[in-house]
Amino acid sequence: MADEKKPRALATTAAAKIPKMTRANLAATVRAREEGKKVAYAFIVCAIDEIMRAMDIVPAWGESFSGICAAKRDAEKYLQRAEAENFSRSLCTYATCNLGFDMWREELKGEMPPDVPWGGIGRPDMVLGSGQQLCDPRYKWPQATQHYLRDVPVFVGGMYYPPWDPALDYREQEAFYVKYNTEELHACVRFCEKVTGKKMDWDRLAEIVDLTDRTINLFIETYELRKTMPCPMDTGDAMNTMVPISFMLGTQECYDFYRDLRDELKEKIAQKQGVVEDEKYRLLWGAGLPSWFALADFQYFNSKGAVFPVETTYRCTEALDRLDLPETNDPLEHIAWRWVRYWTHWYDKARRRPGSMPEVERLIEYIEDYKCDGVVFHSAFSCRSWHAGIMLQAEVLRQVCQDIPVLIMEGDIVDISSYNEADTRNRIDAFIEVLETRKNRA
Amino acid sequence: MPNTDALALVDKYYSNYGSRARELKAAGNKILGYLSALGPVEIMTAAGSVPLRLKGNVSEPITKADAHMETIACPFIRNVFDSALKGRYDYLDGMVMPHQCDSTDKTSNVWSHNLGLPYWHFLNVPHLADDPSVGFFTSVLGVFKKSLEKFMGREITDKDLARAVEAYNENRRAMRELYSLRRFVPPLISGVEMTKVLVAAMSLPVDESTSLIKGVIREVQERAAHSGATSSPRVMIIGDQIDNTAIAEIIEGAGAELVMDHLSLGSKIYWPDVDVTADPLAGIAERYLRKVKLPTTFVAGGDTYEENLEARFGHIRDFITEFKVNAAIIFVYKYCDPYGFEVPALKDFIESTGVRVLYLEDEYSTSTLGRVKTRIEAFLEMIE
């Protein structure tokens, strides 16, 4: 087990701004009460960002706080508290880390536990969960939280999309999925109005939705600059630059961040400045949340001449002109369409290639567009949501696409006891050898 | 059915799981496998197929599944998948995978890709039970019905659905009557026997299942005259699909009586009926979302946390009273977020009724039975 934090060097100055932004996000949750604002425990990729921003609700992201605790290698004390309350170690460690922290703070009657990473996270006035085809903790974590914060009301809304089935036409199902998601988003607004005592400003919401749309397009435009060889920014940085799109969507600050990042990447491209001096291998981060305590592994890849110009993780969106969204006057219906069309975006491609599946079509698209030589997945033991099914993706990818080298790494998002640095590095070395052999053969 | 045959037949179906489905397949029927308490058996039956709830084999180590499915998935799902890969269900014409949890959702493609069955349907059950969710799920069931009609080559009429709904409601009434015989002190049917009945029942076409249950009731009722009062601890077990007798044998081997369950193959599916509604699918949707009490369905009821707990677990307290339970065992499979995250709340709720609780997290395998036995025996000693 690795027990010392090794900071990762960042390739972009934009990524270097992220720790300060993340600290500011956390600080906003802590001082919200004195500013008369309400705080919501919230979860990323739930499509309620714009609702919270339009109602001046300060989002407190449990995944972010737990990720920070992990990156600081300081999560164990919270995990142990949760375990002592009968939350198993095999459960989502983002949740159990956060729950352990909540329990401790309640024991201290609301005072921050000692030595909390980056000042801690504010006590919520509400919890906004989500029921989806993804992530059971998004509706179970809120319930578990309420067991310790009994005065805090919980809302869970549904956000679904037609599941992949090559025998069915998903477009025939879209309308009732969008109708349902829209109804659930309206229910979320009503809940937030009740807790905040304020009415939704629908014009403001429409403006924020428009800002989000423009941010998404800018985000994709920026990330697609990474197709350039040599690659100006890799996944190691993207695990930082995901913070605005994941935790600050619907804010001007988020838009401005990607504008600056885009400009910086253009400058690097003009100067032919890559992440590594001698770029030998281009890799796709195929799926999986990273081990936050082991981000230095990306640098290890870099030291071998490997870069990651693209990843699927934290890229839960697509340029809007590719989604062909129907016109609507209801900003919540627009969000619902954006949701459904994103999740079904690779269905048509998968139908055209017998034996394929949407997740694999996305990988193939990225392999081709970003000229990747191999694919790396990460399997986190405590998270079924993003990590069950990875083996199938690798298997189908090899079957329908090409015999592309694949590495599946194992670890966890938060629990460092799952990680073995020596083993991980050995597997990376072996993978690099495969890439090298393949390159020489070509 | 003669009075003496029912429990013997139960034993046969329990020991040779799926044997009746295999016979029906040979006779020209289409057999559809499904997982979990959320399999919409009424629609599968109305379509003319034979639904078979799949189970694994706790005594069989997983040897094939690990090449295709992550070990972080639910151990029960992995074990059943392993059984399917090994050909145990080679007579299936298709499968219905209800979206119960991440382990069903995220492995659905793994199953369909590797089994290559003629029919596959992922049923997108939502995690909520508010009005829009019931309407949405009704539409989801409509998509399933249409897809199944195409596969079966026949229309599923409202009359077909009504008949199937009534058949399952009758089946549930019969099973509840059998459960009522567990209220006796001592219970007229043991936990080991009841486990076998529950497993056998889920392997049969509904009418045969009902007939079997009624036969067991007749057989078991005859024991009342010879029964004498005991003071053994009366245990309730709570969990998902515990489909083997190993745990019941440990409990009863330690001198306690397993008198009630809140399992996904037991009271969770036999207590709620389908109401007759103008749109039969709406009644079915209502049952699976609002009446089948699973931790995968978010319950929003109540203005306070305490009221919410009542909405989520109040029925368990009713079971405790009705079946005179004085010890509860929560048995959760490893890697299960839906069950795992509610353990503290559930444990506190049950303890607030004065009943002691043992929480166990373990595998779907007899390989770990030694440690389970030690903990259950130690727990039951405290009750005595």
Side-chain angles (χ1 to χ4, degrees):
Chain A
M1 183 176 82
D3 53 7
E4 277 181 33
K5 178 173 161 41
K6 294 175 185 169
R8 204 191 83 82
L10 296 162
T12 60
T13 54
K17 295 180 201 164
I18 291 297
K20 195 175 168 191
M21 293 170 80
T22 306
R23 274 177 186 266
N25 287 343
L26 283 174
T29 67
V30 175
R31 67 166 187 272
R33 195 171 298 266
E34 61 194 54
E35 291 176 349
K37 292 179 180 172
K38 299 289 186 190
V39 174
Y41 270 1
F43 310 94
I44 65 166
V45 196
C46 289
I48 57 167
D49 310 68
E50 290 127 306
I51 291 174
M52 289 189 287
R53 297 296 175 182
M55 300 195 74
D56 285 325
I57 293 167
V58 182
W61 307 98
E63 296 113 318
S64 176
F65 176 67
S66 296
I68 290 162
C69 293
K72 303 277 288 177
R73 301 193 173 193
D74 204 10
E76 185 59 25
K77 57 194 179 189
Y78 306 125
L79 295 175
Q80 283 182 9
R81 278 184 180 260
E83 196 173 17
E85 275 282 299
N86 285 315
F87 289 110
S88 161
R89 281 272 174 159
S90 73
L91 303 179
C92 166
T93 43
Y94 277 162
T96 49
C97 176
N98 208 90
L99 285 162
F101 166 80
D102 277 335
M103 290 169 201
W104 199 342
R105 184 178 49 195
E106 292 307 289
E107 282 168 26
L108 298 174
K109 304 201 182 311
E111 292 296 314
M112 240 1 129
D115 304 320
V116 63
W118 288 8
I121 190 167
R123 193 179 193 276
D125 299 288
M126 68 192 99
V127 184
L128 300 175
S130 184
Q132 307 176 5
Q133 284 132 284
L134 172 78
C135 191
D136 291 324
R138 285 164 198 233
Y139 61 92
K140 296 311 292 183
W141 181 350
Q143 279 181 326
T145 299
Q146 207 178 28
H147 192 60
Y148 303 94
L149 312 178
R150 298 199 172 195
D151 58 317
V152 177
V154 168
F155 173 83
V156 174
M159 285 301 284
Y160 291 86
Y161 57 88
W164 162 246
D165 186 337
L168 298 176
D169 186 353
Y170 68 95
R171 288 187 191 273
E172 289 179 3
Q173 302 172 50
E174 278 184 331
F176 78 77
Y177 273 83
V178 169
K179 176 175 175 284
Y180 171 61
N181 292 344
T182 306
E183 286 172 338
E184 291 291 299
L185 290 171
H186 276 282
C188 179
V189 169
R190 288 193 295 275
F191 175 85
C192 292
E193 286 178 336
K194 191 175 166 191
V195 176
T196 61
K198 289 198 300 192
K199 284 296 195 191
M200 168 64 88
D201 179 340
W202 293 96
D203 291 336
R204 187 169 177 221
L205 176 66
E207 285 169 16
I208 288 174
V209 170
D210 178 62
L211 174 63
T212 298
D213 284 355
R214 287 186 285 116
T215 304
I216 288 170
N217 286 332
L218 175 61
F219 169 78
I220 296 295
E221 178 195 342
T222 304
Y223 271 38
E224 289 187 347
L225 292 171
R226 296 162 60 197
K227 289 177 183 173
T228 313
M229 298 171 80
C231 174
M233 171 186 138
D234 85 341
T235 299
D237 271 27
M239 293 304 177
N240 285 274
T241 59
M242 65 82 176
V243 163
I245 197 84
S246 303
F247 302 122
M248 300 165 73
L249 198 59
T251 67
Q252 188 62 42
E253 198 180 355
C254 175
Y255 181 90
D256 293 346
F257 176 85
Y258 292 109
R259 185 198 55 211
D260 294 348
L261 179 61
R262 179 196 60 191
D263 294 346
E264 186 185 353
L265 294 187
K266 281 184 174 174
E267 185 64 27
K268 282 178 176 292
I269 291 166
Q271 293 174 9
K272 299 193 185 315
Q273 203 176 28
V275 174
V276 295
E277 277 184 23
D278 180 18
E279 184 176 297
K280 291 183 189 166
Y281 319 107
R282 292 168 69 84
L283 303 175
L284 162 60
W285 182 265
L289 304 174
S291 291
W292 291 108
F293 43 80
L295 290 178
D297 284 343
F298 285 105
Q299 214 160 352
Y300 188 72
F301 274 105
N302 296 162
S303 73
K304 304 285 177 182
V307 290
F308 289 87
V310 61
E311 63 286 321
T312 58
T313 307
Y314 298 119
R315 191 167 165 160
C316 297
T317 190
E318 184 50 273
L320 297 186
D321 59 348
R322 296 170 196 164
L323 302 184
D324 191 22
L325 302 181
E327 289 292 325
T328 170
N329 291 325
D330 180 354
L332 298 182
E333 188 185 338
H334 178 81
I335 293 171
W337 273 112
R338 200 170 64 200
W339 178 267
V340 166
R341 285 279 165 93
Y342 161 70
W343 287 105
T344 56
H345 182 56
W346 284 273
Y347 282 18
D348 287 337
K349 276 192 173 179
R351 286 182 81 159
R352 287 195 289 270
R353 195 190 316 252
S356 188
M357 50 194 264
E359 295 90 334
V360 171
E361 286 304 316
R362 183 179 195 180
L363 297 178
I364 293 171
E365 182 180 302
Y366 288 174
I367 288 166
E368 290 173 355
D369 289 355
Y370 291 79
K371 300 185 174 50
C372 293
D373 306 301
V375 185
V376 176
F377 297 94
H378 177 240
S379 185
F381 88 92
S382 78
C383 173
R384 281 138 290 284
S385 317
W386 296 103
H387 305 91
I390 281 177
M391 289 166 73
L392 177 67
Q393 288 184 42
E395 190 179 327
V396 174
L397 178 66
R398 287 194 194 99
Q399 284 169 4
V400 303
C401 175
Q402 51 203 293
D403 185 25
I404 190 162
V406 169
L407 170 66
I408 300 180
M409 302 200 298
E410 288 168 2
D412 188 44
I413 40 183
V414 173
D415 191 346
I416 199 169
S417 66
S418 65
Y419 178 73
N420 184 315
E421 186 174 280
D423 277 358
T424 303
R425 299 284 165 95
N426 285 340
R427 291 174 77 170
I428 293 172
D429 289 345
F431 182 62
I432 295 290
E433 276 179 31
V434 172
L435 292 169
E436 180 68 20
T437 306
R438 194 181 156 87
K439 203 144 219 169
N440 291 338
R441 203 171 55 212
Chain B
M1 187 180 293
N3 277 3
T4 52
D5 283 347
L7 281 169
L9 204 53
V10 163
D11 250 335
K12 178 187 151 191
Y13 289 141
Y14 172 79
S15 307
N16 193 1
Y17 191 76
S19 57
R20 181 61 183 142
R22 192 182 283 278
E23 285 169 11
L24 290 165
K25 168 72 177 178
N29 293 278
K30 284 205 163 107
I31 315 296
L32 292 182
Y34 68 97
L35 284 181
S36 96
L38 295 174
V41 285
E42 294 87 352
I43 300 173
M44 290 186 257
T45 298
S49 71
V50 177
L52 172 71
R53 184 159 167 180
L54 303 188
K55 70 185 283 291
N57 182 349
V58 290
S59 306
E60 174 84 26
I62 294 172
T63 52
K64 289 202 165 185
D66 287 351
H68 307 282
M69 187 182 285
E70 283 79 5
T71 54
I72 59 170
C74 163
F76 163 73
I77 302 259
R78 286 173 54 225
N79 189 299
V80 185
F81 178 60
D82 190 66
S83 286
L85 285 180
K86 288 171 178 163
R88 179 175 181 181
Y89 297 112
D90 58 4
Y91 49 87
L92 293 183
D93 293 282
M95 251 190 86
V96 180
M97 178 72 91
H99 174 209
Q100 177 166 336
C101 58
D102 285 339
S103 281
T104 51
D105 176 21
K106 294 295 163 189
T107 68
S108 178
N109 286 335
V110 181
W111 286 74
S112 63
H113 178 82
N114 287 288
L115 298 185
L117 295 170
Y119 181 75
W120 186 268
H121 192 86
F122 176 78
L123 188 76
N124 206 2
V125 186
H127 290 303
L128 292 100
D130 57 349
D131 289 344
S133 298
V134 174
F136 166 72
F137 187 43
T138 305
S139 300
V140 167
L141 289 174
V143 172
F144 170 55
K145 175 173 167 274
K146 200 171 152 189
S147 145
L148 192 54
E149 284 174 335
K150 193 173 166 194
F151 176 68
M152 297 295 291
R154 56 167 284 191
E155 185 191 355
I156 304 170
T157 65
D158 283 359
K159 211 176 228 177
D160 294 330
L161 284 170
R163 260 199 302 269
V165 162
E166 179 43 38
Y168 277 98
N169 283 349
E170 187 192 351
N171 181 261
R172 291 166 191 138
R173 280 193 296 274
M175 192 64 95
R176 290 197 294 270
E177 190 183 337
L178 179 59
Y179 266 87
S180 72
L181 303 179
R182 305 176 83 183
R183 293 184 194 143
F184 284 70
V185 182
L188 298 189
I189 181 167
S190 73
V192 172
E193 288 172 322
M194 193 67 195
T195 304
K196 289 181 180 178
V197 173
L198 294 172
V199 171
M202 71 185 198
S203 75
L204 299 175
V206 61
D207 292 336
E208 290 184 32
S209 169
T210 306
S211 172
L212 180 69
I213 296 163
K214 287 179 176 174
V216 173
I217 291 169
R218 283 193 295 273
E219 207 166 312
V220 168
Q221 273 172 334
E222 289 176 5
R223 297 174 177 174
H226 313 289
S227 180
T230 62
S231 57
S232 305
R234 292 174 63 86
V235 179
M236 175 178 187
I237 188 157
I238 299 163
D240 201 77
Q241 188 163 329
I242 298 174
D243 55 19
N244 61 87
T245 56
I247 305 284
E249 283 166 9
I250 292 172
I251 293 167
E252 294 179 341
E257 287 155 349
L258 180 58
V259 297
M260 188 47 183
D261 72 72
H262 195 237
L263 300 177
S264 75
L265 49 63
S267 72
K268 281 178 183 169
I269 57 169
Y270 286 106
W271 252 250
D273 287 337
V274 174
D275 290 335
V276 175
T277 46
D279 174 1
L281 295 183
I284 294 170
E286 173 103 12
R287 173 186 183 268
Y288 285 92
L289 286 193
R290 288 187 171 155
K291 297 184 183 177
V292 177
K293 302 285 190 183
L294 294 173
T296 47
T297 306
F298 178 80
V299 176
D303 287 333
T304 63
Y305 180 66
E306 287 67 27
E307 286 177 16
N308 182 253
L309 286 182
E310 189 63 32
R312 288 163 63 192
F313 306 132
H315 59 286
I316 294 178
R317 192 196 39 241
D318 296 343
F319 287 151
I320 287 170
T321 308
E322 205 176 323
F323 289 84
K324 305 175 190 71
V325 169
N326 52 16
I329 297 173
I330 303 172
F331 190 99
V332 175
Y333 292 130
K334 211 172 169 188
Y335 298 119
C336 181
D337 291 309
Y339 276 90
F341 275 116
E342 67 180 33
V343 166
L346 177 59
K347 189 167 179 287
D348 283 2
F349 183 88
I350 296 173
E351 283 173 345
S352 74
T353 68
V355 166
R356 296 186 82 154
V357 179
L358 171 67
Y359 160 54
L360 294 169
E361 184 202 44
D362 217 281
E363 301 284 344
Y364 181 83
S365 168
T366 50
S367 66
T368 55
L369 217 52
R371 67 185 181 210
V372 171
K373 187 167 185 279
T374 305
R375 291 199 55 196
I376 289 178
E377 286 174 349
F379 171 67
L380 291 174
E381 264 179 39
M382 288 194 304
I383 306 299
E384 286 167 347

